[in-house]
Amino acid sequence: MAQNSKNKRGRPRAYNKEVALKSALEVFWKYGFTGASLDKISAATQMNRPSLFAAFGDKKSIYRKSMEQFNRDFFNDLETALFNDLSLEEDLVNFYLSALSVYQSKKTGPLGCPVICTATTEAAVDSDIQIDLANALDQIDLALMSRFKQAIESGQLSSLSDPEELGQLAAALLHSLAIRTRAKQPIFEVERFIKSSVAKIIENSR
């Protein structure tokens, strides 16, 4: 009987991959890659180090996998808001507000985007994370370019408008929101900024 109990205690703890990566992301999001210690990640995921390594690999691998999961879910939400069969202006505003709801979602205070606010530092010294960051940026650019191209084809914007240029400009606005949200600028009126910026982008493209 004692032997059975001992064996039971020795069994590896069951885990949910998505939940564990989401918990790890919370640590990276708050502390950045360097500041996110394995002890903090272990506590957040309720997995000891051997279990973490067996499930996800080393710290860098945990970081990349947690970011990959975040990017997938975040992009799906943004794409849904961006292609919602409304006017271009409404779709863009909803796109930014959808992102903002994530950037401001932390109970401890707004932390911005986990990718923009953590990967930009590591990309300078790690080629894998640099590639991950570039791919995430490209994905956002391409979605916005596609939405502007749709608006040009439907006559909402001038046929002379450059969808690639507009997409990158609109993406830059998104990245600015991520940084400004994390900085918690006291004089920054975020929703007003979104609506006025979208109006100007569209006005200059008609």
Side-chain angles (χ1 to χ4, degrees), residues 26 29-31 103-111 182 184:
E26 297 291 323
W29 199 342
K30 182 175 182 179
Y31 297 101
Y103 296 167
Q104 296 181 329
S105 63
K106 304 296 105 181
K107 293 180 180 179
T108 54
L111 293 179
R182 192 172 181 104
K184 303 175 187 176

Side-chain angles (χ1 to χ4, degrees), residues 39-50:
D39 285 342
K40 290 173 182 173
I41 296 169
S42 179
T45 58
Q46 298 184 6
M47 298 172 67
N48 59 34
R49 289 194 186 194

Side-chain angles (χ1 to χ4, degrees), residues 45-147:
T45 58
Q46 298 184 6
M47 298 172 67
N48 59 34
R49 289 194 186 194
S51 296
L52 277 173
F53 294 152
F56 305 114
D58 61 13
K59 177 181 169 181
K60 174 179 164 181
S61 181
I62 298 170
Y63 175 76
R64 295 182 71 197
K65 287 174 181 177
S66 68
M67 289 297 167
E68 180 182 15
Q69 178 173 284
F70 171 82
N71 281 331
R72 183 188 65 240
D73 297 340
F74 183 59
F75 181 76
N76 286 341
D77 290 343
L78 291 187
E79 195 170 41
T80 298
L82 189 59
F83 294 91
N84 204 26
D85 295 326
L86 301 174
S87 69
L88 175 62
E89 184 169 4
E90 289 173 306
D91 276 347
L92 285 173
V93 168
N94 288 336
F95 168 85
Y96 293 117
L97 291 178
S98 178
L100 188 64
S101 69
V102 175
Y103 296 167
Q104 296 181 329
S105 63
K106 304 296 105 181
K107 293 180 180 179
T108 54
L111 293 179
C113 174
V115 179
I116 297 299
C117 296
T118 66
T120 47
T121 302
E122 299 309 314
V125 295
D126 190 296
S127 59
D128 292 326
I129 294 176
Q130 183 183 71
I131 291 170
D132 292 343
L133 175 60
N135 288 339
L137 297 179
D138 287 344
Q139 192 174 29
I140 295 294
D141 286 350
L142 289 171
L144 286 163
M145 288 176 198
S146 179
R147 184 63 183 88

